[in-house]
Amino acid sequence: MASLHNRPLFVVSALVVPLLTLAAPGVLRIGGVPPSWAVLWLLPWSLADGPLSGALAGLALGLLLDCLQLGGATQMPALALLGWWWGRLPRRGPPIERSFSLGLLAMLGSAVLGASVLLQRQAGGGWAALLTAASLHTLLAQVLVTALLAPMICSLLLLLWRRHSASARG
Amino acid sequence: MPFGRLSRVPWLGQVVGAWPLALVAIALVAVRLSKGALLSDAYALLSRPFWPGSAQKEWLQAAQQLDQQTRLSQLELDNRRLRSLLDLQRADPGTVTAPVISREPGGWWHQLVLGVGGLQGIRAGDSVIGPGGLIGRVESVTPTTARVALLTDTASKVGVWVGRTQRHGLLTGVGSSRPVLRFLEKDPQVRPGDVVVTSPASTLVPPGLSVGVIQSVDDKAVPATLAVVQLSAPVASVDWVQVLTRREAAPAGP
């Protein structure tokens, strides 16, 4: 199964994430908040390539994204954790491929990622600074738009990568 | 029946019959007593199609604007000269016009990426102004790009000044499109509509740049008054900005 990371083209496709984060296309936003592109790429990668590869991909994506953002907050731990968790999921039962499941997983992942960023950036001010209207708005909007995009983007990527893994196995 | 007998008096009948004339007379007296209000109003109503149109108003406004612009540029020149006399602002800031190549005014980080960088003389800490006023400060620089932390970012803190009441405050981003102005004293006597500019005592940003307008004031905030500020520059739709580069301070003369 673990053969995606042997294909340079698939690995290079991760570079689309920082590019999309920078470009931030205006149509794919809710209330001015863009989706979490890292979650949308990492979810199918981990599901198709296993926990170790998922965690490493999460770490690499986190490194890439951290150097694009202001300040000292990091997304690495949350992304690595998500990659590891999503990589372990297919072992337990039937493969995850339904749109609803993908949307739900992307929703949870985006919420975890957003909460980790929020905690790092605003924990200094106590609860009052954490639960402002602006932070709740950003969190909810990002979770919503990520979950809405996940069935479209993640299904296609998962289909492509599953087919490749299957053909690589023979 | 006294009324029946009175109505048979010949001249009184004529007087009673002339009641329309009496009404007209009363109306005239009313016009006189009200200093011609009725007449003026009727004249205004009738002559409305012939009033001076918008064209004339625009000419007057254009003339006023030109006058104000010339006075503004004159005052800016004066101000710069006086500041240099006072040795307040040693380095005259140069401006670099920069395109915005990435814009993220929503989300967790409020930032712009500009298409100019260290090669053009941009350094971290430079102020960035858009059409309408200050929008942020340069946070980091690469050879060809610069990352700008907007005033709305949670990490942004800039000293500002309310000109009308002459009070200092700290403009802090809260992650929404409107930053919060924290005053240093309990009763700063500001009200919605006051204009906020950068502090004349600030060392981080050039003094006197317009920042925004106070939108609402919370007097009961602890420990001191809070105000919500609407930025005057449209951050979400700005395409080109100007970076105020600070040259090296000239060595102080003898």
Side-chain angles (χ1 to χ4, degrees):
Chain A
M1 192 169 186
S3 64
L4 281 186
H5 51 264
N6 292 332
R7 289 285 297 262
L9 187 64
F10 291 159
V11 175
V12 167
S13 75
L15 286 181
V16 174
V17 173
L19 288 183
L20 275 175
T21 307
L22 276 181
V27 284
L28 299 179
R29 289 188 196 175
I30 288 183
V33 181
S36 166
W37 295 107
V39 166
L40 291 180
W41 184 89
L42 188 65
L43 174 59
W45 179 273
S46 310
L47 286 179
D49 210 30
L52 185 63
S53 167
L56 286 178
L59 277 180
L61 266 186
L63 271 178
L64 275 181
L65 290 180
D66 283 350
C67 64
L68 293 181
Q69 315 289 13
L70 296 167
T74 172
Q75 312 185 40
M76 275 164 57
L79 282 177
L81 194 71
L82 287 175
W84 179 74
W85 175 48
W86 286 333
R88 284 176 57 86
L89 277 181
R91 290 182 178 175
R92 300 255 172 94
I96 292 169
E97 52 200 7
R98 298 181 59 171
S99 300
F100 185 75
S101 321
L102 287 175
L104 209 59
L105 284 178
M107 194 171 174
L108 281 174
S110 160
V112 168
L113 188 62
S116 84
V117 173
L118 179 64
L119 276 174
Q120 291 175 64
R121 295 209 81 199
Q122 294 178 20
W127 286 108
L130 274 181
L131 294 176
T132 57
S135 57
L136 284 183
H137 164 84
T138 308
L139 189 63
L140 284 180
Q142 190 158 60
V143 164
L144 202 61
V145 71
T146 311
L148 282 177
L149 283 177
M152 284 179 271
I153 296 173
C154 295
S155 310
L156 287 178
L157 284 177
L158 197 57
L159 195 66
L160 176 73
W161 288 340
R162 278 250 169 85
R163 188 173 295 163
H164 171 78
S165 327
S167 69
R169 263 177 292 158
Chain B
M1 202 180 262
F3 184 72
R5 216 180 296 154
L6 267 180
S7 67
R8 260 177 267 137
V9 177
W11 58 270
L12 202 59
Q14 277 178 1
V15 168
V16 171
W19 63 268
L21 288 179
L23 271 187
V24 169
I26 289 172
L28 286 179
V29 168
V31 168
R32 174 67 187 84
L33 285 181
S34 68
K35 306 257 179 207
L38 207 62
L39 274 181
S40 307
D41 286 344
Y43 173 71
L45 196 67
L46 286 178
S47 64
R48 173 142 309 197
F50 308 104
W51 283 11
S54 59
Q56 200 164 337
K57 206 191 290 176
E58 277 162 17
W59 297 337
L60 289 178
Q61 277 173 354
Q64 270 176 354
Q65 221 168 3
L66 187 67
D67 175 39
Q68 281 167 357
Q69 272 174 359
T70 32
R71 271 171 55 192
L72 181 67
S73 55
Q74 196 60 44
L75 286 175
E76 266 180 355
L77 278 179
D78 270 5
N79 204 349
R80 201 173 300 159
R81 188 176 52 84
L82 292 173
R83 275 185 187 281
S84 68
L85 280 182
L86 284 175
D87 217 13
L88 274 180
Q89 194 181 4
R90 287 207 191 101
D92 190 18
T95 59
V96 177
T97 305
V100 176
I101 57 175
S102 164
R103 180 185 303 130
E104 205 179 322
W108 296 113
W109 293 271
H110 292 226
Q111 60 177 16
L112 301 177
V113 180
L114 307 180
V116 296
L119 293 178
Q120 281 85 7
I122 313 288
R123 287 185 304 165
D126 287 348
S127 310
V128 180
I129 54 176
L134 184 73
I135 59 174
R137 296 178 63 222
V138 174
E139 175 87 10
S140 63
V141 174
T142 68
T144 57
T145 67
R147 184 163 303 125
V148 178
L150 295 175
L151 291 180
T152 50
D153 190 81
T154 46
S156 157
K157 287 183 175 59
V158 174
V160 292
W161 161 263
V162 179
R164 188 179 64 80
T165 59
Q166 309 203 331
R167 300 300 165 110
H168 282 282
L170 192 65
L171 190 74
T172 317
V174 290
S176 66
S177 62
R178 298 189 185 111
V180 163
L181 177 51
R182 298 174 197 279
F183 286 99
L184 307 179
E185 60 265 270
K186 191 72 190 160
D187 183 20
Q189 295 170 342
V190 294
R191 56 182 184 225
D194 283 347
V195 175
V196 178
V197 299
T198 53
S199 163
S202 174
T203 52
L204 296 175
V205 289
L209 292 177
S210 57
V211 171
V213 177
I214 289 182
Q215 203 174 36
S216 63
V217 178
D218 181 5
D219 288 326
K220 298 189 176 60
V222 177
T225 305
L226 287 183
V228 176
V229 175
Q230 171 74 49
L231 297 181
S232 52
V235 173
S237 58
V238 61
D239 274 337
W240 287 83
V241 294
Q242 284 189 318
V243 187
L244 301 180
T245 56
R246 296 173 299 178
R247 293 185 202 133
E248 293 294 334

